[in-house]
Structures are given as C-alpha cells and as structure tokens.
C-alpha cells in the first residue's frame, strides 16, 4: 500500500481527471489542510463542483478548487508555470483509446515542477497504452509501486527526468 507522506507544510495537489477514485484519495488530504485542485472538461465542471462540495462540506480547512482542464489547451492561461506549485498530481484511468494522448503528455509535463510527484493508476487495455507508457518514460522517471495483474491495473509513481540533485 502506498500512502501520501504527512507534511507539516501545506500540500498542493491537482487531479487531472474527474474520476471518483481520485476524489476519494483527495478528500482526506483536503480535510488535513492540503490545497486541492480538481479538474475536468468544461462541460463537466458543474457535476464535479457538486460532488466535491457534497463530499467536503464542513470537513476541509481549505475548500477544494475546481478548474477547467482540457489536455494541451490553454495551459499557460489556466495554469501559468509561474504559479504551478503542485506537490502531487493524482490521475486515474486517463490513458485509454482516445486521440488525445499527446495532449495528455504535454499537460503532465506542463503541470510538473522538479519535485512534483505523479501518482497514476492505469488499466491496460490496448497496445496503444503501452506505447504511451514508453513515450511517458522519455520525460519522466517511472516506478511501478503496485500491480493488480488479474485486472491489468498498475499504480505508478513518476517524477520529471533531469531533476537537479538535492
């Protein structure tokens, strides 16, 4: 089992997909004082806002922020690099047979700083997903931290390559 470390400082997290699993992981952290940003496509923001409000009402030190995120689109406008300070990016089931895998990779790269940790759950369905993982490894150090072979699901931890030594 992988647990997010406890910090005395403020943690900033972002969900790059409005999947219910991600929100279940985010809620307890928001309750502990983390600054959480949940994202989804523009047409789904109302539903996301409703669900987040229902799940966190009167429980959080900082109310989770809901923001629009279309992979690869208006990233500098909606998430300026100068103000991206996410400690964690949580992603669940974002890679599947769709035409936006390159945009997803661009989005991961844009949102990550040197110390940002991506926790990513992936269900393997097609060869296209394996190719995405290979492409992802060109930009990120990737570590498999859990596997569920009977379900073709893996949990990864990733960080940008070429980080400065601490």
């Amino acid at each position: 089992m992988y647990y997010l470390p406890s910090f005395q400082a403020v943690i900033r997290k972002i969900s790059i997909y409005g999947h219910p699993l991600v929100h279940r992981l985010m809620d307890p952290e928001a309750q502990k004082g983390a600054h959480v940003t949940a994202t989804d496509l523009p047409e789904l923001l109302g539903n996301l806002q409703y669900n987040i409000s229902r799940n966190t009402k009167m429980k959080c030190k900082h109310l989770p922020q809901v923001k629009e995120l279309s992979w690869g689109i208006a990233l500098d406008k909606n998430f300026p690099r100068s103000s991206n300070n996410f400690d964690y990016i949580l992603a669940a089931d974002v890679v599947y047979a769709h035409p936006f895998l390159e945009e997803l990779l661009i989005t991961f790269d844009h949102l990550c700083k040197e110390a940002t940790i991506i926790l990513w759950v992936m269900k393997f369905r097609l060869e296209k997903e394996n190719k995405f993982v290979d492409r992802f490894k060109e930009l990120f150090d990737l570590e498999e931290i859990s596997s569920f072979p009977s379900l073709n699901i893996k949990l990864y931890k990733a960080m940008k390559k070429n980080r400065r030594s601490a």
Side-chain angles (χ1 to χ4, degrees):
M1 172 95 23
Y2 186 84
Y3 295 96
L4 295 179
S6 297
F7 290 96
Q8 297 299 323
V10 173
I11 298 173
R12 295 189 180 280
K13 295 184 195 162
I14 185 170
S15 152
I16 66 164
Y17 186 65
H19 192 280
L21 171 63
V22 173
H23 298 149
R24 288 181 199 266
L25 291 170
M26 289 177 15
D27 290 344
E29 298 304 318
Q31 293 172 26
K32 294 177 190 172
H35 290 270
V36 174
T37 302
T39 68
D40 214 327
L41 296 170
E43 61 271 18
L44 301 174
L45 289 181
N47 186 53
L48 177 60
Q49 181 67 59
Y50 175 80
N51 288 335
I52 296 247
S53 296
R54 293 281 306 212
N55 290 324
T56 61
K57 191 174 188 176
M58 307 296 286
K59 297 178 186 173
C60 298
K61 186 174 179 180
H62 307 285
L63 196 60
Q65 184 179 20
V66 172
K67 289 185 77 171
E68 172 186 334
L69 178 61
S70 297
W71 299 335
I73 298 173
L75 294 174
D76 287 322
K77 176 184 169 226
N78 295 331
F79 295 91
R81 285 189 189 268
S82 61
S83 61
N84 278 356
N85 295 308
F86 299 114
D87 297 309
Y88 293 92
I89 294 176
L90 307 178
D93 208 21
V94 293
V95 178
Y96 49 91
H98 60 72
F100 304 106
L101 293 178
E102 187 62 30
E103 290 83 353
L104 174 59
L105 190 59
I106 290 166
T107 302
F108 272 129
D109 187 53
H110 180 84
L111 294 174
C112 286
K113 298 266 187 179
E114 289 180 0
T116 303
I117 296 171
I118 299 170
L119 295 175
W120 167 30
V121 178
M122 181 169 159
K123 179 172 180 76
F124 287 84
R125 298 173 181 93
L126 303 167
E127 181 60 30
K128 194 172 189 178
E129 286 123 12
N130 293 327
K131 291 178 183 174
F132 178 82
V133 172
D134 291 340
R135 178 84 170 90
F136 186 87
K137 288 179 181 177
E138 293 174 13
L139 298 174
F140 295 90
D141 292 321
L142 188 64
E143 173 188 353
E144 182 182 313
I145 57 177
S146 192
S147 179
F148 307 91
S150 65
L151 300 171
N152 288 333
I153 294 175
K154 293 185 180 188
L155 173 60
Y156 293 110
K157 175 183 172 186
M159 293 181 78
K160 269 192 167 186
K161 285 187 181 258
N162 302 320
R163 296 179 309 275
R164 284 183 257 145
S165 298

